[in-house]
Amino acid sequence: TAHAGGVAAVAFHPSQPVLYTPGADGLVKGWSLPIDPKEPKEKAVKHTIKAHAGKVLAALVHPTTGQVITAGADKLVRVWDPAKPEKPVREIGPLANAVAVLALSRDGTLLAGASGKDVLVWNTADGKDGGKFTQTADVLALSFSADKTRLLVGRADNLAALMEVKDGTVVQTFPHTGAVRGVLSHPSTP
């Protein structure tokens, strides 16, 4: 048992044998791998971040810095240095609504979040707003194209939509038989 309540996501550190789990208890735990099942779980926890008041809804790890980026029910998005978990490196918000989905561009310079029907984009270096684009249905999944000019958006209306990051224009939609809960962009081919 990693957390009191559910686990919202899992993510690996890019260069260390650490697995991060964000939980409904507002914590993000970094687990040293491999975990020895004979040892108490407290020994396996390398980092504990008191990330949010309330649930952590989404989390990911920056591919080059190893910083942990979280979104919480408290309507905040935070960037954490796991080695200094006392205070976030950066905080975005409070937002109008909680962000439930996060995506990071391949180079780690752009961050996108989904809050209901809204897709929000920020610059990771300074947290500055890069745009807000409203979709026709709740957004359930996000993925940046390799060149970070487009976002693939999974929606509750059974569509995946390819959207321009610069202005939110939907270029193409892809119908499905159910809500699109996961989307992935190819790492090199459009």
Side-chain angles (χ1 to χ4, degrees):
T1 303
H3 296 270
V7 175
V10 292
F12 286 102
H13 189 282
S15 62
Q16 297 175 16
V18 177
L19 172 70
Y20 291 99
T21 59
D25 54 8
L27 301 176
V28 173
K29 293 182 181 179
W31 302 84
S32 294
L33 299 177
I35 296 172
D36 184 349
K38 296 174 189 160
E39 294 288 331
K41 73 176 181 180
E42 292 77 22
K43 285 193 172 189
V45 177
K46 182 175 182 173
H47 307 290
T48 299
I49 301 169
K50 293 179 183 174
H52 294 276
K55 294 179 180 182
V56 181
L57 301 174
L60 47 79
V61 178
H62 193 284
T64 55
T65 67
Q67 292 176 321
V68 178
I69 302 169
T70 62
D74 55 6
K75 301 179 185 176
L76 297 170
V77 173
R78 291 180 167 151
V79 179
W80 301 91
D81 177 349
K84 301 174 188 171
E86 305 80 35
K87 183 179 176 188
V89 173
R90 187 165 301 97
E91 185 172 273
I92 300 169
L95 304 167
N97 297 297
V99 168
V101 177
L102 290 172
L104 197 58
S105 63
R106 189 174 172 90
D107 65 0
T109 60
L110 290 179
L111 175 67
S115 176
K117 295 179 182 179
D118 294 330
V119 175
L120 309 161
V121 180
W122 302 280
N123 181 312
T124 57
D126 55 17
K128 287 192 177 178
D129 186 1
K132 175 182 171 183
F133 311 108
T134 303
Q135 299 293 301
T136 57
D138 283 350
V139 176
L140 307 175
L142 295 168
S143 180
F144 278 96
S145 63
D147 65 1
K148 69 185 175 196
T149 62
R150 294 182 169 171
L151 265 170
L152 189 54
V153 179
R155 300 190 324 209
D157 62 357
N158 304 349
L159 291 175
L162 186 61
M163 181 190 88
E164 296 284 350
V165 171
K166 67 181 177 191
D167 59 11
T169 302
V170 174
V171 178
Q172 188 173 3
T173 59
F174 308 91
H176 292 266
T177 57
V180 182
R181 298 190 181 282
V183 290
L184 294 171
S185 297
H186 192 278
S188 60
T189 303

